[in-house]
Amino acid sequence: MTHRTPTILAVLILPMLSLASAQGSTVRIGFFPNLTHAPALVAIEKGYYAAQMKGVKIETKDFVSGTTLSEAFAAGAIDIGLIGPGPAINAAVKGMPVQIIAGASEAGALLVARKGSGITSYKDLAGKKVAVPSLGNTQDISLRAILADAGLKAQTDGGNVTIVPLAPADVAAAFVSKQVDAALVPEPWAALLEGQGNKAVGDEKTVWRNGNYPSALVIVSTKFAQANPEIVKGFLRAHLQAIRFINKSPAAAQTAVSSALFKLTNQKVDARVLQLALKRTRFTANVDIEALKAYSQLNLAAGYSRKAPDFDALVDLTMLNALNASQGQLQATPRTALGLK
């Protein structure tokens, strides 16, 4: 027992010393005020980031879309962020030094038609204006796939569907003023639109892959990760803690998300709306790499990139798997099983 004590103490103390050595450091975390980013909303609201990264100054910033968050990454203004697969892939293709280190959520996006628009099916989108959070983001890429399946095209591709970039929180007002006819939006904004009498013509399962697709992932600046591995590990511990809390205590998580959304958007989401939105969204740190590869092909078809990223370089779940293993959780999808090193 005695001879093992120093080793045990070293195991316990070294991470603390490493993190302590980072004291005075700052980590800048980006996310969206959407339910699909609930792990970040909960981690902030419950103080998980501060608890798991003691001694580190934590700055959080919300973004309208993955496109704007990617721009912040490119400018060196964000170190870690939750983002959709589309912008993450585009960032990697453009040579931005980012890595996907965990998942956050799956599904949780719906295509909602404005009441009175006459839209009851995907084919009815012909000649209409459809809102997405931003051009090139995950919902935009999904929408272009939906249009292709319905035999339609965006106006920019020679078709007659006008795709309009619009912040999800602003879609309700745009519906009232009839600026747009439909919107492919993440939760809880889809459920909110439905609650106002608008109609969902595509739910989270019909949007793509029967709902088995990532809506939000965790990316990190590779430069920041190399310089601050213990901070990144602390972030992931908080991230996993938030996901466990959401899945085990949905009612309490709903309260935390509602409070965070109100602070960020000044909109009070009805409890029943938020409850419905939660049921349509899955929260997991796992990463479906086959879905990422499929997204990459949609991205190519949409014309947002000319090549697929190097998924071996883009996805690194080593730290996530180590934390899961230390906490007795199942590992995320093994990279080797997916042909990744």
Side-chain angles (χ1 to χ4, degrees), residues 112-131:
V112 183
R114 174 176 56 77
K115 58 183 175 183
S117 66
I119 299 170
T120 59
S121 70
Y122 290 153
K123 289 186 178 296
D124 294 331
L125 295 174
K128 303 295 186 181
K129 294 180 180 178
V130 186

PDB file of all heavy atoms in Angstrom, residues 112-131:
ATOM      1  N   VAL A 112     -40.433  23.816 -41.465  1.00  0.00           N
ATOM      2  CA  VAL A 112     -41.749  24.326 -41.064  1.00  0.00           C
ATOM      3  C   VAL A 112     -42.264  25.305 -42.120  1.00  0.00           C
ATOM      4  O   VAL A 112     -41.527  26.203 -42.569  1.00  0.00           O
ATOM      5  CB  VAL A 112     -41.664  25.045 -39.700  1.00  0.00           C
ATOM      6  CG1 VAL A 112     -43.050  25.509 -39.250  1.00  0.00           C
ATOM      7  CG2 VAL A 112     -41.044  24.131 -38.647  1.00  0.00           C
ATOM      8  N   ALA A 113     -43.527  25.123 -42.543  1.00  0.00           N
ATOM      9  CA  ALA A 113     -44.146  26.007 -43.528  1.00  0.00           C
ATOM     10  C   ALA A 113     -45.027  27.042 -42.837  1.00  0.00           C
ATOM     11  O   ALA A 113     -45.741  26.725 -41.880  1.00  0.00           O
ATOM     12  CB  ALA A 113     -44.984  25.196 -44.512  1.00  0.00           C
ATOM     13  N   ARG A 114     -44.958  28.264 -43.317  1.00  0.00           N
ATOM     14  CA  ARG A 114     -45.799  29.331 -42.764  1.00  0.00           C
ATOM     15  C   ARG A 114     -47.265  29.035 -43.049  1.00  0.00           C
ATOM     16  O   ARG A 114     -47.611  28.598 -44.144  1.00  0.00           O
ATOM     17  CB  ARG A 114     -45.391  30.669 -43.399  1.00  0.00           C
ATOM     18  CG  ARG A 114     -46.279  31.848 -43.035  1.00  0.00           C
ATOM     19  CD  ARG A 114     -45.753  33.145 -43.618  1.00  0.00           C
ATOM     20  NE  ARG A 114     -45.573  33.105 -45.062  1.00  0.00           N
ATOM     21  CZ  ARG A 114     -46.567  33.201 -45.949  1.00  0.00           C
ATOM     22  NH1 ARG A 114     -47.823  33.320 -45.545  1.00  0.00           N
ATOM     23  NH2 ARG A 114     -46.302  33.171 -47.239  1.00  0.00           N
ATOM     24  N   LYS A 115     -48.112  29.254 -42.045  1.00  0.00           N
ATOM     25  CA  LYS A 115     -49.545  29.022 -42.250  1.00  0.00           C
ATOM     26  C   LYS A 115     -50.048  29.974 -43.342  1.00  0.00           C
ATOM     27  O   LYS A 115     -49.699  31.158 -43.387  1.00  0.00           O
ATOM     28  CB  LYS A 115     -50.335  29.226 -40.960  1.00  0.00           C
ATOM     29  CG  LYS A 115     -50.205  30.597 -40.331  1.00  0.00           C
ATOM     30  CD  LYS A 115     -50.976  30.655 -39.015  1.00  0.00           C
ATOM     31  CE  LYS A 115     -50.761  31.994 -38.306  1.00  0.00           C
ATOM     32  NZ  LYS A 115     -51.427  32.071 -37.011  1.00  0.00           N
ATOM     33  N   GLY A 116     -50.820  29.413 -44.270  1.00  0.00           N
ATOM     34  CA  GLY A 116     -51.310  30.208 -45.390  1.00  0.00           C
ATOM     35  C   GLY A 116     -50.382  30.200 -46.586  1.00  0.00           C
ATOM     36  O   GLY A 116     -50.710  30.789 -47.625  1.00  0.00           O
ATOM     37  N   SER A 117     -49.227  29.529 -46.459  1.00  0.00           N
ATOM     38  CA  SER A 117     -48.264  29.500 -47.569  1.00  0.00           C
ATOM     39  C   SER A 117     -48.659  28.498 -48.649  1.00  0.00           C
ATOM     40  O   SER A 117     -48.159  28.563 -49.773  1.00  0.00           O
ATOM     41  CB  SER A 117     -46.869  29.144 -47.044  1.00  0.00           C
ATOM     42  OG  SER A 117     -46.856  27.802 -46.552  1.00  0.00           O
ATOM     43  N   GLY A 118     -49.547  27.572 -48.311  1.00  0.00           N
ATOM     44  CA  GLY A 118     -49.954  26.559 -49.275  1.00  0.00           C
ATOM     45  C   GLY A 118     -48.959  25.414 -49.399  1.00  0.00           C
ATOM     46  O   GLY A 118     -49.129  24.534 -50.247  1.00  0.00           O
ATOM     47  N   ILE A 119     -47.958  25.394 -48.561  1.00  0.00           N
ATOM     48  CA  ILE A 119     -46.942  24.337 -48.615  1.00  0.00           C
ATOM     49  C   ILE A 119     -47.372  23.173 -47.719  1.00  0.00           C
ATOM     50  O   ILE A 119     -47.554  23.332 -46.515  1.00  0.00           O
ATOM     51  CB  ILE A 119     -45.574  24.872 -48.139  1.00  0.00           C
ATOM     52  CG1 ILE A 119     -45.106  26.020 -49.036  1.00  0.00           C
ATOM     53  CG2 ILE A 119     -44.534  23.743 -48.133  1.00  0.00           C
ATOM     54  CD1 ILE A 119     -43.885  26.757 -48.505  1.00  0.00           C
ATOM     55  N   THR A 120     -47.537  22.008 -48.320  1.00  0.00           N
ATOM     56  CA  THR A 120     -47.871  20.811 -47.541  1.00  0.00           C
ATOM     57  C   THR A 120     -46.891  19.671 -47.802  1.00  0.00           C
ATOM     58  O   THR A 120     -46.977  18.624 -47.163  1.00  0.00           O
ATOM     59  CB  THR A 120     -49.297  20.326 -47.867  1.00  0.00           C
ATOM     60  OG1 THR A 120     -49.383  20.029 -49.271  1.00  0.00           O
ATOM     61  CG2 THR A 120     -50.332  21.384 -47.509  1.00  0.00           C
ATOM     62  N   SER A 121     -46.012  19.855 -48.783  1.00  0.00           N
ATOM     63  CA  SER A 121     -45.023  18.817 -49.096  1.00  0.00           C
ATOM     64  C   SER A 121     -43.755  19.496 -49.599  1.00  0.00           C
ATOM     65  O   SER A 121     -43.745  20.699 -49.883  1.00  0.00           O
ATOM     66  CB  SER A 121     -45.560  17.865 -50.165  1.00  0.00           C
ATOM     67  OG  SER A 121     -45.636  18.527 -51.421  1.00  0.00           O
ATOM     68  N   TYR A 122     -42.692  18.716 -49.743  1.00  0.00           N
ATOM     69  CA  TYR A 122     -41.435  19.282 -50.228  1.00  0.00           C
ATOM     70  C   TYR A 122     -41.591  19.861 -51.637  1.00  0.00           C
ATOM     71  O   TYR A 122     -40.998  20.889 -51.970  1.00  0.00           O
ATOM     72  CB  TYR A 122     -40.338  18.212 -50.225  1.00  0.00           C
ATOM     73  CG  TYR A 122     -39.881  17.792 -48.833  1.00  0.00           C
ATOM     74  CD1 TYR A 122     -39.347  16.524 -48.609  1.00  0.00           C
ATOM     75  CD2 TYR A 122     -39.966  18.667 -47.761  1.00  0.00           C
ATOM     76  CE1 TYR A 122     -38.918  16.150 -47.348  1.00  0.00           C
ATOM     77  CE2 TYR A 122     -39.552  18.299 -46.500  1.00  0.00           C
ATOM     78  CZ  TYR A 122     -39.022  17.037 -46.287  1.00  0.00           C
ATOM     79  OH  TYR A 122     -38.601  16.671 -45.029  1.00  0.00           O
ATOM     80  N   LYS A 123     -42.379  19.210 -52.479  1.00  0.00           N
ATOM     81  CA  LYS A 123     -42.552  19.692 -53.863  1.00  0.00           C
ATOM     82  C   LYS A 123     -43.199  21.071 -53.901  1.00  0.00           C
ATOM     83  O   LYS A 123     -42.996  21.841 -54.849  1.00  0.00           O
ATOM     84  CB  LYS A 123     -43.392  18.687 -54.667  1.00  0.00           C
ATOM     85  CG  LYS A 123     -42.653  17.389 -54.986  1.00  0.00           C
ATOM     86  CD  LYS A 123     -43.477  16.516 -55.897  1.00  0.00           C
ATOM     87  CE  LYS A 123     -42.716  15.229 -56.245  1.00  0.00           C
ATOM     88  NZ  LYS A 123     -41.482  15.520 -57.010  1.00  0.00           N
ATOM     89  N   ASP A 124     -43.990  21.386 -52.858  1.00  0.00           N
ATOM     90  CA  ASP A 124     -44.647  22.700 -52.808  1.00  0.00           C
ATOM     91  C   ASP A 124     -43.672  23.845 -52.531  1.00  0.00           C
ATOM     92  O   ASP A 124     -44.072  25.021 -52.543  1.00  0.00           O
ATOM     93  CB  ASP A 124     -45.739  22.705 -51.726  1.00  0.00           C
ATOM     94  CG  ASP A 124     -46.878  21.760 -52.054  1.00  0.00           C
ATOM     95  OD1 ASP A 124     -47.129  21.534 -53.254  1.00  0.00           O
ATOM     96  OD2 ASP A 124     -47.507  21.251 -51.109  1.00  0.00           O
ATOM     97  N   LEU A 125     -42.399  23.529 -52.286  1.00  0.00           N
ATOM     98  CA  LEU A 125     -41.404  24.584 -52.050  1.00  0.00           C
ATOM     99  C   LEU A 125     -41.035  25.299 -53.347  1.00  0.00           C
ATOM    100  O   LEU A 125     -40.373  26.352 -53.309  1.00  0.00           O
ATOM    101  CB  LEU A 125     -40.137  23.991 -51.418  1.00  0.00           C
ATOM    102  CG  LEU A 125     -40.304  23.385 -50.014  1.00  0.00           C
ATOM    103  CD1 LEU A 125     -39.004  22.709 -49.573  1.00  0.00           C
ATOM    104  CD2 LEU A 125     -40.709  24.457 -49.001  1.00  0.00           C
ATOM    105  N   ALA A 126     -41.463  24.769 -54.475  1.00  0.00           N
ATOM    106  CA  ALA A 126     -41.177  25.402 -55.779  1.00  0.00           C
ATOM    107  C   ALA A 126     -41.702  26.838 -55.795  1.00  0.00           C
ATOM    108  O   ALA A 126     -42.865  27.093 -55.467  1.00  0.00           O
ATOM    109  CB  ALA A 126     -41.825  24.596 -56.902  1.00  0.00           C
ATOM    110  N   GLY A 127     -40.842  27.775 -56.145  1.00  0.00           N
ATOM    111  CA  GLY A 127     -41.246  29.175 -56.240  1.00  0.00           C
ATOM    112  C   GLY A 127     -41.339  29.882 -54.890  1.00  0.00           C
ATOM    113  O   GLY A 127     -41.777  31.035 -54.831  1.00  0.00           O
ATOM    114  N   LYS A 128     -40.930  29.207 -53.808  1.00  0.00           N
ATOM    115  CA  LYS A 128     -41.069  29.783 -52.465  1.00  0.00           C
ATOM    116  C   LYS A 128     -39.725  30.278 -51.912  1.00  0.00           C
ATOM    117  O   LYS A 128     -38.659  29.954 -52.433  1.00  0.00           O
ATOM    118  CB  LYS A 128     -41.650  28.728 -51.507  1.00  0.00           C
ATOM    119  CG  LYS A 128     -42.992  28.158 -51.950  1.00  0.00           C
ATOM    120  CD  LYS A 128     -44.093  29.195 -51.955  1.00  0.00           C
ATOM    121  CE  LYS A 128     -45.452  28.543 -52.253  1.00  0.00           C
ATOM    122  NZ  LYS A 128     -46.544  29.542 -52.286  1.00  0.00           N
ATOM    123  N   LYS A 129     -39.832  31.039 -50.823  1.00  0.00           N
ATOM    124  CA  LYS A 129     -38.648  31.507 -50.100  1.00  0.00           C
ATOM    125  C   LYS A 129     -38.512  30.678 -48.820  1.00  0.00           C
ATOM    126  O   LYS A 129     -39.444  30.622 -48.020  1.00  0.00           O
ATOM    127  CB  LYS A 129     -38.774  32.991 -49.749  1.00  0.00           C
ATOM    128  CG  LYS A 129     -38.785  33.918 -50.964  1.00  0.00           C
ATOM    129  CD  LYS A 129     -38.906  35.372 -50.522  1.00  0.00           C
ATOM    130  CE  LYS A 129     -38.916  36.299 -51.740  1.00  0.00           C
ATOM    131  NZ  LYS A 129     -39.078  37.724 -51.349  1.00  0.00           N
ATOM    132  N   VAL A 130     -37.353  30.055 -48.654  1.00  0.00           N
ATOM    133  CA  VAL A 130     -37.131  29.175 -47.508  1.00  0.00           C
ATOM    134  C   VAL A 130     -35.932  29.686 -46.703  1.00  0.00           C
ATOM    135  O   VAL A 130     -34.851  29.898 -47.265  1.00  0.00           O
ATOM    136  CB  VAL A 130     -36.867  27.722 -47.957  1.00  0.00           C
ATOM    137  CG1 VAL A 130     -36.785  26.802 -46.740  1.00  0.00           C
ATOM    138  CG2 VAL A 130     -37.952  27.248 -48.912  1.00  0.00           C
ATOM    139  N   ALA A 131     -36.131  29.860 -45.412  1.00  0.00           N
ATOM    140  CA  ALA A 131     -35.064  30.383 -44.552  1.00  0.00           C
ATOM    141  C   ALA A 131     -34.217  29.259 -43.964  1.00  0.00           C
ATOM    142  O   ALA A 131     -34.725  28.173 -43.634  1.00  0.00           O
ATOM    143  CB  ALA A 131     -35.672  31.214 -43.417  1.00  0.00           C
TER     144      ALA A 131
END
